[in-house]
Amino acid sequence: VIEQIVGEWRAEILAAMPEDAEPEEMLRKRARATMYFLRGYPSLMRLIRRQFMTAPSKESRFFIENFMRINFEEQRKILQRGIIEGTFRPVDPVLFFASYVSTGDLYTFARPILQNVFGMRESDDRLFARFVDHSVDMLLDGIIARKPSKTRR
């Protein structure tokens, strides 16, 4: 069942990315697709971590090699292209990938805090859309190449 769900996730990522898009748009769409997909499976990443990442097995190797590494390599190439084109500043692609994958869990963790601590009672769809925009901006704005700011005198 998990392989089927992960296959659907992969299809969502690929469907979200136009081949002719610029690197920033590609990474934004990948992150958005991941967050929207994982919203439907709030325990999936926890299960994946427990079943596939911590236990050495034939199944865990299959998942790592046929999903995680493929996605990482695609993302690494997009990052590299963006760095060469001057869109992104140099970043560690491994740490960026770990941050990207983690965005899928953020809303599951943050929703009770937003609602119970801060009283954000707006519709879940609206709150989720705002949260996705915020999270994707935080993830991608952190790697955008910026012109150096002028030193004050």
Side-chain angles (χ1 to χ4, degrees):
V1 173
I2 292 174
E3 282 183 36
Q4 178 183 346
I5 293 169
V6 168
E8 291 171 17
W9 181 8
R10 175 88 178 126
E12 290 287 325
I13 290 170
L14 293 175
M17 282 187 3
E19 290 183 28
D20 60 343
E22 295 297 318
E24 181 181 356
E25 180 185 1
M26 291 176 91
L27 290 182
R28 284 185 186 279
K29 288 188 181 233
R30 285 177 79 101
R32 290 181 68 78
T34 291
M35 290 185 79
Y36 272 92
F37 182 80
L38 290 178
R39 180 185 186 202
Y41 301 96
S43 299
L44 181 63
M45 289 306 295
R46 195 174 12 230
L47 179 61
I48 287 171
R49 279 190 302 274
R50 179 168 290 155
Q51 295 290 80
F52 294 123
M53 300 300 206
T54 57
S57 67
K58 186 169 67 172
E59 292 81 9
S60 68
R61 291 295 345 142
F62 178 85
F63 173 75
I64 289 168
E65 296 303 326
N66 292 288
F67 182 73
M68 295 301 259
R69 286 212 196 277
I70 288 170
N71 279 305
F72 168 74
E73 285 302 324
E74 289 172 351
Q75 215 165 50
R76 186 187 59 72
K77 288 175 185 172
I78 296 167
L79 279 170
Q80 186 176 26
R81 179 179 152 210
I83 291 166
I84 290 168
E85 293 175 2
T87 303
F88 304 136
R89 65 180 179 78
V91 295
D92 183 326
V94 172
L95 295 178
F96 181 81
F97 186 74
S99 298
Y100 154 77
V101 171
S102 299
T103 61
D105 276 342
L106 290 177
Y107 188 70
T108 300
F109 175 77
R111 183 176 175 219
I113 295 168
L114 295 171
Q115 291 179 338
N116 298 320
V117 177
F118 298 106
M120 298 177 87
R121 301 273 181 227
E122 60 194 282
S123 86
D124 195 49
D125 289 342
R126 190 168 146 218
L127 182 58
F128 181 72
R130 286 180 55 211
F131 191 82
V132 168
D133 289 343
H134 166 79
S135 299
V136 171
D137 284 348
M138 296 238 343
L139 180 68
L140 272 290
D141 290 353
I143 66 168
I144 299 296
R146 306 236 188 276
K147 293 180 182 177
S149 56
K150 295 181 181 179
T151 306
R152 293 183 191 198
R153 292 183 190 197

